[in-house]
Amino acid sequence: MAEVLVYVDHVDGAVRKPTLELLTLARRIGEPVAVSLGSGAENTASTLAEHGAVKVLTADAPEFADYLVVPKVDAVQAAVEAVSPSAVLFPSSAEGKEIAARLAVRIG
């Protein structure tokens, strides 16, 4: 079954509801692989696993805390290259839309 990348929207490890809904959607079309970035990312793994993530990729860097989008796009692009997913899902937040748009331009 193909893997589906899901970008995790969280605040210091507390996963937001839209991400959990995306994991449910991802389970319908493949195996969910969650990408959790920033402070507290490592604390999201148990919640994400409970909601169906078969893998959780985490990364933390000082740039993620500065509300910069480009470092997050870089990290998600690296995840896409590592996993080769059939789809990449983002929450419909302002940040999620920005990261998705920039990623789409990069990977075509």
Side-chain angles (χ1 to χ4, degrees), residues 7-9 16 18-19 22 90-100:
Y7 179 78
V8 177
D9 186 9
R16 294 186 176 179
T19 298
L22 285 176
F90 290 88
S92 185
S93 63
E95 181 182 64
K97 290 175 184 178
E98 182 73 19
I99 295 169

Side-chain angles (χ1 to χ4, degrees), residues 15-52:
V15 180
R16 294 186 176 179
K17 187 177 178 183
T19 298
L20 302 178
E21 292 170 352
L22 285 176
L23 285 171
T24 300
L25 177 63
R27 280 193 321 237
R28 292 182 185 166
I29 58 177
E31 295 181 341
V33 176
V35 177
S36 187
L37 306 175
S39 176
E42 64 281 349
N43 299 330
T44 63
S46 62
T47 301
L48 297 169
E50 288 174 15
H51 288 86

Side-chain angles (χ1 to χ4, degrees), residues 4-9 33-38 57-60 64 68-85 87-91 95-104 106-107:
V4 178
L5 218 56
V6 177
Y7 179 78
V8 177
D9 186 9
V33 176
V35 177
S36 187
L37 306 175
L57 307 174
T58 62
D60 193 6
F64 297 152
L68 299 174
V69 175
V70 174
K72 293 178 182 179
V73 176
D74 294 340
V76 175
Q77 182 178 6
V80 167
E81 291 168 357
V83 175
S84 298
V88 183
L89 306 178
F90 290 88
E95 181 182 64
K97 290 175 184 178
E98 182 73 19
I99 295 169
R102 289 174 183 247
L103 179 66
R106 285 188 184 185
I107 65 174

